[in-house]
Amino acid sequence: MAPFYAMTVAEFVAEFGLQGQDVFDLEWRLSEGEGALIAARTGLALKTVQAMTFREFGPQVRMMIARKNRSPCPHCPENLHRKADALPWRFRCPVHGVEFRDATGETLSDRFGSDHFKKLEGHAEAGATYLDAWARGAGQQDLEALEVLQILTARHRRASPPNVDEQPRMSLRDRRDYHDFLTTPILRQALTVIVPEYDQVAPVLAKAVRPGFHALAQGSLLQCFALTVGVGRIIEDPVQWVISVMLVSDAEGQGRVRQAVRSWPLPLRRSISARFWRAEREETARQSDEKAARQRQSHKYRTIQSHKYRYRIS
């Protein structure tokens, strides 16, 4: 509100007799008296002033509220901080409808490609709806937000250097120069399994996200979008996605995933155990069939005999 009155934030707060007050504290929990002071001087209704605060959110959400715009809209004034933009699971300006941009000026559709981004937006919207309801303490489902984030940030495999498909094309000389990069162990998290699109476009050394709520509170625009998509997918089918992660996990990773789902409701855990046993048998049978097929292929007789080639060439 301060720029509207051509004042700095400090001058604006002091005008109400609230000098020395932290603005973020006022936005988080504005008392009735403080709200009445602002309402009386601005001519706004007390309910309108209170609606500008984050009072309807639970205390665990406070760490996720951004003091400034995370990724500002190119059409909004720089000093305008909208309430909807303060949450890490919003990726479009609510007024102009345009995508937010990261620090490099790149949008999410630029990173994923327009077609892939449109497909992911549906899952992101489902995840944002769930997180909004959780933040306000309304419409709780079987899973808490922390339980979902623990699965997404769980390490399902041992840390390892970049795979061949993760490495950029380099000459032998460049490989020698960037030896430290090529041998740097990278955390392998379930997020890359549940949202493989993120695994394909994220920078190699910046794929890993922080555990728990810190992933959303301190993640980049790309990381927060991938986490929101992952939340949407898990909420739609939690059992299937957990099984998908466990099938590609190593022994230690499976133990971490089981530890992460230990607080889930008992019916979901039973479904995971039963279906994972069947899925593991099917996966083992499929791998055995593929191995047998490769062996049969390698033992086939040559259809072109050596005597049909020139001397010493066959």
Side-chain angles (χ1 to χ4, degrees), residues 239 243 261-262 264-278:
V239 175
I243 291 174
V261 302
R262 183 168 294 180
W264 284 27
L266 183 59
L268 286 179
R269 284 184 284 143
R270 284 177 173 173
S271 297
I272 291 171
S273 298
R275 290 174 57 179
F276 175 67
W277 180 75
R278 292 195 298 267

Side-chain angles (χ1 to χ4, degrees), residues 210-243:
R210 295 179 179 273
F213 289 136
H214 293 280
L216 286 172
Q218 303 176 19
S220 64
L221 179 68
L222 176 63
Q223 290 176 339
C224 289
F225 180 76
L227 287 165
T228 307
V229 171
V231 169
R233 285 178 171 171
I234 290 178
I235 293 303
E236 291 168 0
D237 193 351
V239 175
Q240 182 56 46
W241 282 112
V242 170
I243 291 174

Side-chain angles (χ1 to χ4, degrees), residues 45-85:
L46 179 58
K47 290 184 178 180
T48 303
V49 176
Q50 293 284 12
M52 298 179 185
T53 68
F54 301 103
R55 63 184 307 176
E56 73 269 24
F57 295 132
Q60 67 273 19
V61 187
R62 180 166 188 167
M63 64 182 296
M64 303 184 193
I65 302 297
R67 289 176 175 261
K68 296 183 179 180
N69 292 335
R70 297 174 185 269
S71 306
C73 167
H75 303 301
C76 289
E78 292 183 2
N79 54 4
L80 180 63
H81 303 157
R82 300 188 189 278
K83 182 178 177 181
D85 302 347

